[in-house]
Structure formats: C-alpha cells, structure tokens
Amino acid sequence: MKKCKLNLELMSYQDVFDDYGAKIQQNHEQQINAQGIAVGSIIAIGKLLKEARDYKDSLNVKNKSKLWSKFENGLTFSKGHISKYIKISDNSVLSNKVHYSKLPPSVFTLYELTHHDQETLVNGIRSGAITANLNRSDVASKKEKKLASPSSTTPQVELGKLRIAKDHWVANYHGFKSELNGLLSKYNVTLVEASVPKKMVNDEDRYYKTITKVIFREAKKFYLREVTTLLDIKLKERNLLKSYGKSSFKKKVDALKFPIDEFDVSNCATDDEIKQKYLSHGLDGEVAWNHYWSDWYALAMDEASKYEYALARRGEEDDIQYIKNAIEKTSKSKVTSFTPVKKSDKFTGIKF
C-alpha cells in the first residue's frame, strides 16, 4: 500500500512536468514554424523552464532527480539549451514585448546578446545596431564593444529612479516584476536595471548549481569511502590486503575480480544515481544515506549562502526547516550508528 501511495504521488508530480513539457513543446513549434512570433515563444519557453526548475527544487520527494531527467529527455531541444532559454527570458530588455519585432529569432543570437549590459541593448535596438537580421557571429565579435554609441541614439527624457524598501526587497521585487514589465510594455517604456537586480539573476543561477554540485560531490566521496572499506574487508578475507591495500579503487575491484561496472560511479550524473549504486551493494541502507544527505545539504547551503540575493528570495528559514525535517525523519529510525560497516556479509548485493 505504501509503495502504491508513493507511485501515485510521483505520478502527480510527473503530471506537472508533463504539463510544462506540453506547453514548452507548443511554444517550440511556434518558434520554429512562425518567425513572426519566434522571439515571444523563446521568452515563453524560458519562463516555463524556470517555473519547472523552481517546482523541481521545491519538491521534497525521493527520486526527484529522475523526474527532472525524464522531463529534460522529453524536450525537443538539448539540455544545454535550458540555461540559455532561462537567461534570455530573465533579461528585462529582451523579454520586453515592445522589442520582439526588432530582435533576432534565434536562441543562440539572443543568448549572445545577454552578455551585453542593458543600456547597450537598449541603445543597440534604438540605433538599429540590433535588428531581426542580426546573427550570432556579429554579436559574439562585439562582446568587448558597444553595439551602439549612446550619442547616436534619439535624445531621451530621464523620468527618475525606482527605489524599493531594503527589507525583503528581493522577494518583493520578484512579486511585482512581471506586473511592472507589463506596465512598461503597455506604455512603450524601457527600464534599464541597475547592477543589483542583474547580480540577483546571476546569484540565483549559481545558487542552484552550487547546491547540486556540492551534494553530488559529497555523495560521491561518501560512496567511494564506504565501498573502499568493504573492498578492503574482502581483500583481507582473501589474503590480498597486503598486496592491494594501498592500491587504487579500480585495482582493488580488479584484484577481487568484481565487475567494475557495478562499482564505478564516474558515469553517474546525479546523487540519486550514486544512491542507487550504494543501495545495490547492500550497504547501511536508505536511512543511513538520508542521514548523511541532510549533512550534505547543510554543507551545500553553507557554500551557496555567498549568493545572498538568491538566498534572500528563497528564504533562509525555509532551508533551515527543510534540513530540520530531514534530520527529524532519520532520527525516528532505530538505527543508532552510521559509521562504515565492518561486517563482510553487508556485501549482499554482489555475487561472489
């Protein structure tokens, strides 16, 4: 019954990703087949991808990385395009509907444009340096140059500056940004963001990448340490420890004549894939893994905390509570020790 409930729960999450995938597919077809609305479709795809990614990060379920991998594999473009679409849609100049008709309908060219500051983009559009016919190589060759000189543009009237209360400004800014962009678009007004909002966008991207990277790194280190302990036990049983005790991981596996594919994690892309390898060898079990995972998550949060704007938006209290919940869940188990196992019969997943 418990397994059935978990499957139904995962199906509901999968339905959400399937819905995002269907909407992205529809916009991607429009991007390819209707150049007149291609830019708008690219922006829509970027926003949907970001929503899907945020939804994935908010989940507190097992195997969410598999859900995300399935979602990525179902897209009609490569995984490498995901970050490009998101960065394009996050750019307030490129995502302004007023500019769509003047922008190149290419993900690659638009992505190259995101490397320029917003003032340069605005001036480039107004001066005609940026047009729908602009290609990727033209933009890439001008990364260190202005696409248009401010002096060559039509004189403008500065209306003033926007200011927001410092307390909780990141969350508040995200709360009204889409509404503000709609208002600016309606009256053909362009907002040139200051450096702080731009840093916020970069922080968010680095924040998520750091958390994923740290957890994966620690999971891999833990796996290799635990499995090496067990390999040493088997080497000792066969009087091979003296000869291979200080050898590399691979040499130990070869000396025991074990299939390397069942131990090697170099091709694993996520911490969940490493977890499945860990469990397949009959090690300490899922409770032990979850216990350590909460520590890895805390470490990842600590390393990601330098990206202050992303942390402010996500909510530090939410992350602390998430860690507490994970620890509380594992503390209810009867398992009292999570030190590396020392019994050779723990190697139940391998046929000797």
Side-chain angles (χ1 to χ4, degrees), residues 62 130 132 170 196 307:
K62 300 174 184 177
I130 296 177
V170 177
V196 173
Y307 304 118

Side-chain angles (χ1 to χ4, degrees), residues 93 116-125 146 148 150 153 156 191-193 198:
V93 176
H116 291 276
D117 61 71
Q118 295 182 4
E119 183 180 2
T120 298
L121 292 177
V122 171
N123 290 328
I125 292 170
K146 294 287 184 181
T153 61
Q156 295 176 273
L191 171 67
V192 178
E193 290 182 328
K198 287 189 283 187

Side-chain angles (χ1 to χ4, degrees), residues 184-348:
L184 295 174
S185 176
K186 180 179 179 180
Y187 292 100
N188 197 17
V189 177
T190 299
L191 171 67
V192 178
E193 290 182 328
S195 59
V196 173
K198 287 189 283 187
K199 184 178 185 302
M200 177 179 65
V201 173
N202 290 331
D203 272 10
E204 285 188 359
D205 186 51
R206 292 167 183 166
Y207 174 84
Y208 290 115
K209 287 181 179 178
T210 297
I211 290 177
T212 302
K213 181 180 178 181
V214 171
I215 292 177
F216 179 78
R217 180 192 71 203
E218 295 302 313
K220 189 173 183 179
K221 285 165 56 178
F222 170 75
Y223 172 87
L224 292 174
R225 184 175 69 245
E226 294 288 280
V227 174
T228 297
T229 298
L230 290 173
L231 291 175
D232 286 344
I233 290 172
K234 302 311 291 184
L235 287 170
K236 186 176 181 180
E237 289 177 353
R238 301 184 186 187
N239 296 319
L240 295 172
L241 187 60
K242 187 175 181 180
S243 300
Y244 294 95
K246 295 183 180 180
S247 299
S248 67
F249 183 85
K250 186 178 183 303
K251 285 185 177 180
K252 289 182 178 183
V253 174
D254 290 340
L256 291 165
K257 301 187 184 307
F258 291 158
I260 188 63
D261 289 344
E262 295 187 22
F263 291 87
D264 186 26
V265 291
S266 61
N267 292 325
C268 290
T270 68
D271 60 286
D272 190 65
E273 291 178 7
I274 295 177
K275 175 184 176 181
Q276 298 310 314
K277 286 265 190 182
Y278 172 82
L279 296 178
S280 72
H281 299 322
L283 291 166
D284 269 341
E286 193 160 0
V287 174
W289 179 275
N290 290 339
H291 171 84
Y292 283 108
W293 192 93
S294 66
D295 292 338
W296 305 333
Y297 188 87
L299 178 63
M301 283 299 305
D302 185 56
E303 291 196 26
S305 64
K306 58 188 173 183
Y307 304 118
E308 54 183 331
Y309 296 129
L311 187 63
R313 182 191 176 193
R314 180 178 171 87
E316 188 172 4
E317 293 181 359
D318 292 339
D319 287 309
I320 293 173
Q321 188 59 48
Y322 182 87
I323 295 168
K324 286 181 178 178
N325 291 342
I327 294 173
E328 182 180 2
K329 183 187 296 184
T330 56
S331 67
K332 292 179 181 178
S333 168
K334 294 181 181 179
V335 178
T336 57
S337 173
F338 297 103
T339 54
V341 296
K342 296 182 179 180
K343 294 182 179 179
S344 60
D345 60 0
K346 282 288 186 177
F347 229 10
T348 56

Side-chain angles (χ1 to χ4, degrees), residues 34-58:
Q35 294 220 344
I37 58 171
V39 175
S41 298
I42 291 171
I43 301 301
I45 291 171
K47 291 180 178 179
L48 287 167
L49 286 169
K50 187 172 183 180
E51 284 182 22
R53 186 188 68 183
D54 290 347
Y55 174 72
K56 181 261 295 184
D57 291 329
S58 72

